[in-house]
Amino acid sequence: MSKTLLIADDEPNIVISVEYLMKREGFEVLVAGDGEEALAKIRQHRPDIVLLDVMMPKMNGFDVCQEVRADPTLSGVRILMLTAKGRDTEVAKGLALGADVYMTKPFSTRELVEKVRQLVGQ
């Protein structure tokens, strides 16, 4: 059975390239264009992993991460924050709120695939 991955990002170019990459790697891919949609899809589909952007409309990635981590029924969802906000304070905040990994854009697709596979145990 393939693992499910949610891409939560409002940047269409990022979504298209990451969606293609992850489908090629065998993941079932869901997409959300803002934080509220991401949280709804996480609750509905319980993906194995979420690639979560910080700066999104309606609800930012930090708030989405915090909501997911506050819900014990979502404890199995891995979160990889994938964002242009790479200052040490943002990285520390993301990890403190419960992100499993924090990667900054631009990113290496090879490194992204490696991190995703590590997080889902593949």
Side-chain angles (χ1 to χ4, degrees):
M1 191 171 99
S2 65
K3 301 278 187 179
T4 304
L5 177 141
L6 172 67
I7 302 167
D9 200 309
D10 63 327
E11 181 63 48
N13 291 335
I14 298 284
V15 172
I16 290 166
S17 60
V18 173
E19 181 178 17
Y20 173 79
L21 178 69
M22 292 302 158
K23 282 182 175 177
R24 194 181 71 199
E25 292 294 321
F27 288 90
E28 180 183 326
V29 178
L30 306 167
V31 175
D34 64 59
E36 287 179 359
E37 183 184 6
L39 193 55
K41 285 190 173 181
I42 292 166
R43 288 183 169 139
Q44 180 183 356
H45 299 282
R46 302 205 189 294
D48 297 289
I49 184 167
V50 179
L51 303 185
L52 185 61
D53 186 24
V54 170
M55 304 215 2
M56 290 187 295
K58 298 185 181 175
M59 183 180 208
N60 72 44
F62 291 135
D63 292 341
V64 172
C65 184
Q66 192 168 18
E67 290 274 333
V68 170
R69 291 300 179 236
D71 185 340
T73 66
L74 300 175
S75 64
V77 176
R78 302 293 104 217
I79 296 175
L80 187 154
M81 294 196 106
L82 188 61
T83 180
K85 296 183 81 62
R87 292 199 328 247
D88 289 348
T89 53
E90 273 97 16
V91 174
K93 182 177 181 179
L95 295 173
L97 290 173
D100 297 290
V101 174
Y102 196 110
M103 288 181 69
T104 55
K105 299 173 188 173
F107 54 87
S108 151
T109 55
R110 185 180 55 77
E111 186 182 358
L112 178 61
V113 169
E114 286 173 9
K115 296 282 187 196
V116 167
R117 291 205 172 283
Q118 286 171 3
L119 287 173
V120 298
Q122 286 188 327

